[in-house]
Amino acid sequence: METTDKTKIETGNGSNEKSDYKSNGFEPKIVGFLCNWCAYSGADLAGVSRIKSSPNIRVIRTMCSGRVDPSFVMKAFELGADGVLIAGCHFGDCHYIEGNFKTMRRVEMLKMILRQFGIDERRLRLEWISASEAEKYAQVSIEFTGEIKKLGPLKLVKN
Ligand code: FES
């Protein structure tokens, strides 16, 4: 993996990224869209319980995972995110009845679009995490960060 300054420019990540990443010190920027009623509370519980989770996730709280418009995900990648996590309530627990079913279908569609843009679909992850699943949130955040670290910085070539 190329990790020179030239790479940084090619990725489009240079605008607001700390300029000190190297192949072994790459710290990915991950946007986490977390549903207010479950995953966000799970993440909050992880923090309150002092369960170690990834500091690389920049959390955006949404009222439902179904509120995450596909354009939000594409915009996050465009603005320099190396990965995007969407986390919502388990099936049957969505406060808006079927918001998470909508999310599931959207994520499948988004993965297809990402492939067409030449972006590895593993950069987008969907998880169901309840408010009591602090351990799960922590595990997912650490695991996903590790996966994005392996993938390296997102290489978007802007025209
Ligand atoms: S309210 Fe949590 S996924 Fe819909």
Side-chain angles (χ1 to χ4, degrees):
M1 180 190 339
E2 202 179 357
T3 57
T4 62
D5 282 343
K6 181 173 171 268
T7 304
K8 197 170 76 178
I9 292 165
E10 287 176 349
T11 62
N13 288 345
S15 58
N16 59 352
E17 186 172 328
K18 288 176 196 151
S19 59
D20 57 349
Y21 75 72
K22 296 185 170 61
S23 60
N24 56 357
F26 166 56
E27 289 299 336
K29 285 183 292 194
I30 299 172
V31 175
F33 293 103
L34 307 185
C35 164
N36 175 64
W37 303 104
C38 47
Y40 182 86
S41 301
D44 193 36
L45 182 60
V48 169
S49 310
R50 296 182 178 273
I51 299 170
K52 187 172 166 28
S53 59
S54 170
N56 297 68
I57 314 270
R58 272 75 156 174
V59 173
I60 297 175
R61 177 163 49 167
T62 62
M63 291 308 285
C64 175
S65 66
R67 178 64 184 91
V68 182
D69 189 275
S71 66
F72 299 172
V73 174
M74 299 310 288
K75 193 72 180 174
F77 283 123
E78 185 190 335
L79 292 178
D82 300 299
V84 173
L85 169 69
I86 301 174
C89 305
H90 290 277
F91 293 128
D93 290 343
C94 175
H95 281 52
Y96 306 95
I97 316 297
E98 56 183 25
N100 48 7
F101 285 100
K102 190 190 285 183
T103 308
M104 185 180 65
R105 290 192 295 270
R106 281 180 174 168
V107 166
E108 284 310 309
M109 182 196 72
L110 273 164
K111 284 180 179 276
M112 199 176 70
I113 292 169
L114 290 179
R115 283 196 296 270
Q116 287 176 354
F117 276 96
I119 298 172
D120 194 309
E121 66 183 77
R122 287 174 293 177
R123 292 185 184 276
L124 174 61
R125 182 162 174 166
L126 173 62
E127 287 287 342
W128 309 124
I129 302 171
S130 77
S132 62
E133 292 179 314
E135 292 276 0
K136 181 173 181 184
Y137 172 77
Q139 180 215 322
V140 164
S141 71
I142 290 168
E143 194 181 287
F144 189 43
T145 300
E147 203 171 330
I148 300 298
K149 277 186 180 179
K150 277 187 211 152
L151 291 173
L154 177 59
K155 296 182 179 180
L156 280 184
V157 178
K158 295 187 178 178
N159 294 325

